[in-house]
Amino acid sequence: MAVGSFAGSIADSHMAVRNYIVPTDLSLDDLRSIFALTDEIIKDCQKFQDVCKSKVMASLFFEPSTRTKFSFDAAMYRLGGNVIGFADPNTTSQAKGESLADTTRIISGYADLITVRSPYEGAAKHMSMYSSVPIINAGDGGHEHPTQTLTDLMAIRHYKQTLDGHVIGICGDLKFGRTIHSLISALSRYPNNKFVFISPPELQLPDYVAHNIDQSMILRQTDSLINEIGNVDILYMSRVQKERFVSEAEYLRLRDYYILNAEKMKRAKKDMVVMHPLPRLNEISAEVDSDERAIYFEQARYGMYVRMALIMNLLDLG
Ligand code: NCD
């Protein structure tokens, strides 16, 4: 094959590439079909076992992960595809100082799609400028984590039937919590949702997230969980993001600011649900796990199925 036509085919394929970097990269119609496909996959996972036969997903995790990495890898395997990646980022040429742009150019020549988790805000977006295959943002620093949002939306849809008309309390590290930023952006696209932001003053939601949504959707910003727990339909708890703090002392001062326990749960509505992207540290006591309103472990189960649907959607196989 002539070099020219090879280069040409890459440029042409780049034109059609769809990425998933922030929640709004998927239209509400895309979301509807991804959720419907997820329902189908949950019903009969086997039916999809050859959909990605001979496809390869590159899994580039430069930060720790359990749920996101395992569910993505399992999703690709369950679709009949293959996964390439590394157990330790220090074994890649990134450790020799190669630029992310060059790494992306190379890997996108080997794989059909790339999932990436990076400690740097904007890393996935940056990679999408050099990739000839879809890039999925599996978390970029303290910025966004849109595939956790798909998991969260599936759980809300299941436990609350709809994605609109809820009062959502978001509690914990609103400053650095990337799952929170993506969830707010996603839920603000559905009518009649209202937010109560609950955080210590030091960990309030960044302006770039708060200013990006219809201001009438923000009911209150407060530091009191106890005063608000009875008012919300969904309580989304989060871990204080140790890895984003410059000062260890500041982290230690703030990490146990909120502890949801059985006593506080007594004040919550009977049909309220407690969500958490996990991992959970002290912010939810283990005694809450047996409360039927605690849905965080069920929430995580959607992760693999909805990622199967996302992979199919981005590869135009759905
Ligand atoms: C979250 C993350 O990595 O941002 N974890 C996850 O993917 N479920 C939340 C967190 O680490 O606190």
Side-chain angles (χ1 to χ4, degrees):
M1 187 196 297
V3 171
S5 68
F6 182 57
S9 70
I10 287 180
D12 292 347
S13 65
H14 199 171
M15 298 292 287
V17 167
R18 288 165 57 232
N19 304 295
Y20 190 45
I21 312 291
V22 291
T24 46
D25 286 337
L26 292 175
S27 68
L28 291 177
D29 272 348
D30 286 329
L31 287 175
R32 253 189 300 276
S33 47
I34 286 173
F35 296 152
L37 182 55
T38 307
D39 287 339
E40 261 187 76
I41 295 170
I42 291 172
K43 241 182 257 150
D44 185 2
C45 196
Q46 296 271 315
K47 203 170 99 189
F48 298 85
Q49 63 187 357
D50 291 327
V51 170
C52 281
K53 211 168 170 179
S54 84
K55 300 274 185 213
V56 173
M57 180 180 87
S59 170
L60 309 184
F61 278 68
F62 296 101
E63 265 196 342
S65 171
T66 304
R67 274 148 293 271
T68 308
K69 176 160 173 51
F70 277 72
S71 64
F72 256 123
D73 291 1
M76 193 57 176
Y77 285 123
R78 285 191 185 274
L79 291 169
N82 298 291
V83 181
I84 53 173
F86 47 77
D88 174 3
N90 287 319
T91 60
T92 71
S93 284
Q94 285 277 299
K96 297 182 191 169
E98 184 173 53
S99 72
L100 193 56
D102 285 0
T103 300
T104 306
R105 284 186 176 106
I106 299 307
I107 293 178
S108 72
Y110 303 154
D112 298 288
L113 84 160
I114 299 175
T115 55
V116 60
R117 169 169 290 188
S118 166
Y120 302 114
E121 288 81 10
K125 175 77 189 167
H126 182 71
M127 287 175 70
S128 72
M129 294 157 66
Y130 300 94
S131 177
S132 53
V133 300
I135 300 283
I136 303 178
N137 182 7
D140 62 328
H143 184 220
E144 299 263 8
H145 189 349
T147 67
Q148 178 63 43
T149 298
L150 296 179
T151 309
D152 298 344
L153 296 182
M154 277 300 297
I156 294 173
R157 185 173 162 272
H158 178 80
Y159 285 95
K160 290 293 201 182
Q161 283 77 51
T162 66
L163 291 171
D164 49 70
H166 304 302
V167 176
I168 307 118
I170 305 209
C171 178
D173 187 348
L174 277 57
K175 180 176 181 188
F176 297 119
R178 56 193 175 193
T179 70
I180 288 172
H181 304 160
S182 296
L183 183 64
I184 292 169
S185 155
L187 282 175
S188 69
R189 300 167 86 189
Y190 295 92
N192 303 319
N193 283 327
K194 304 274 181 211
F195 297 101
V196 180
F197 298 139
I198 308 163
S199 75
E202 296 86 344
L203 297 179
Q204 282 177 3
L205 197 67
D207 286 348
Y208 79 85
V209 183
H211 292 171
N212 215 16
I213 67 172
D214 176 348
Q215 296 303 290
S216 70
M217 289 182 139
I218 305 176
L219 280 185
R220 273 179 299 288
Q221 179 157 297
T222 166
D223 72 345
S224 174
L225 173 59
I226 196 79
N227 288 347
E228 294 295 343
I229 192 166
N231 300 328
V232 302
D233 305 315
I234 296 167
L235 177 62
Y236 194 94
M237 296 294 294
S238 64
R239 173 180 71 92
V240 175
Q241 306 279 296
K242 177 177 189 212
E243 60 274 45
R244 315 276 173 237
F245 278 72
V246 179
S247 152
E248 164 103 12
E250 178 82 340
Y251 165 69
L252 293 174
R253 191 171 66 76
L254 294 170
R255 71 171 176 188
D256 293 334
Y257 203 96
Y258 300 107
I259 298 184
L260 182 64
N261 56 19
E263 192 55 35
K264 292 198 183 86
M265 286 296 285
K266 286 186 190 154
R267 295 191 178 215
K269 293 182 186 176
K270 292 275 167 286
D271 63 348
M272 184 268 256
V273 293
V274 183
M275 301 180 68
H276 192 304
L278 306 178
R280 150 276 293 269
L281 301 183
N282 292 334
E283 61 276 0
I284 303 181
S285 304
E287 65 187 17
V288 177
D289 298 355
S290 55
D291 189 309
E292 61 180 18
R293 295 168 290 182
I295 64 163
Y296 29 88
F297 295 120
E298 288 303 309
Q299 176 189 347
R301 285 169 52 82
Y302 286 103
M304 181 184 76
Y305 300 113
V306 81
R307 288 180 172 102
M308 288 172 76
L310 174 68
I311 291 169
M312 287 176 63
N313 182 281
L314 292 180
L315 293 179
D316 284 324
L317 300 169

